[in-house]
Amino acid sequence: MVQVNGSLQATVLRTASYTKATVPAASAYPRGIIYVSDAAGGAAMAWSNGTSWISQLTNVAI
């Protein structure tokens, strides 16, 4: 886990990669972002709303 107080500059942000079967509990990572390699509609970034991982492509729970 990275925590920053102040500014953070990066040219590339690499997130953790998961399959639908291996995503961690969304409740453990509210506002977290991950990459899901086998999401519906194809590989996608997903964000945690505290309950579910939501696909950036479909705006639906993974």
Side-chain angles (χ1 to χ4, degrees):
M1 175 181 221
V2 174
Q3 187 171 6
V4 177
N5 294 319
S7 64
L8 173 67
Q9 295 182 355
T11 56
V12 175
L13 175 64
R14 182 176 290 181
T15 63
S17 179
Y18 298 93
T19 63
K20 292 187 291 185
T22 64
V23 296
S27 61
Y29 300 96
R31 299 178 314 278
I33 299 172
I34 61 173
Y35 176 82
V36 183
S37 61
D38 62 348
M45 300 301 290
W47 58 275
S48 169
N49 64 7
T51 302
S52 301
W53 289 103
I54 308 298
S55 169
Q56 177 190 14
L57 293 177
T58 63
N59 208 34
V60 175
I62 298 289

